[in-house]
Amino acid sequence: RSIFVVRLEIYNLQNFKELNDFYIRLKTVKGVKNAWLTDYRGGNAYFDVSCSSGGAGNLARGLMETFGTELKINRPSLMKLEAAAQKKQ
C-alpha cells in the first residue's frame, strides 16, 4: 500500500479553539489516516496529512465534502493544498 503525505496550509484560524476544531474534523475526512500539526503562527496552521491514496486531489475532495463552504481551497501542486477558513457572517 502506498501512503501519501500532503502539506496542508490553513489560513484564518484565529485561536486555538478554531485550530482544535479544525484538527478534529480533519481527522474525520475520508481517506485521511493521520495528521500532524507542524506549525501554527499568526492564524496560519501547517499540517502534514497522511492520505491513503490520491494525494492532494483526493484530500481536497474530502475537505470539500466535510467542510463545504467553510473552506476555500487552492491546489498549487500535486502534494500541497492551501485553504482559507471562511468567516461566518
Side-chain angles (χ1 to χ4, degrees), residues 9-26:
E9 298 179 26
I10 303 295
Y11 307 108
N12 298 329
L13 296 175
Q14 299 303 316
N15 53 49
F16 286 113
K17 181 180 180 340
E18 288 182 15
L19 175 64
N20 186 55
D21 291 345
F22 177 82
Y23 176 72
I24 289 169
R25 288 180 68 190
L26 173 62

Side-chain angles (χ1 to χ4, degrees), residues 67-83:
F67 290 92
T69 59
E70 294 176 43
L71 287 180
K72 181 178 178 185
I73 299 173
N74 180 32
R75 183 178 167 196
S77 70
L78 182 64
M79 299 307 282
K80 185 175 180 181
L81 279 179
E82 296 173 349

Side-chain angles (χ1 to χ4, degrees), residues 19-69:
L19 175 64
N20 186 55
D21 291 345
F22 177 82
Y23 176 72
I24 289 169
R25 288 180 68 190
L26 173 62
K27 291 186 76 164
T28 67
V29 171
K30 182 180 177 185
V32 170
K33 296 297 181 190
N34 208 343
W36 301 272
L37 177 67
T38 58
D39 195 9
Y40 175 72
R41 56 178 93 155
N44 298 340
Y46 302 87
F47 291 92
D48 284 339
V49 181
S50 173
C51 302
S52 57
S53 66
N58 281 357
L59 179 58
R61 241 181 322 281
L63 288 171
M64 285 187 282
E65 290 172 2
T66 302
F67 290 92
T69 59

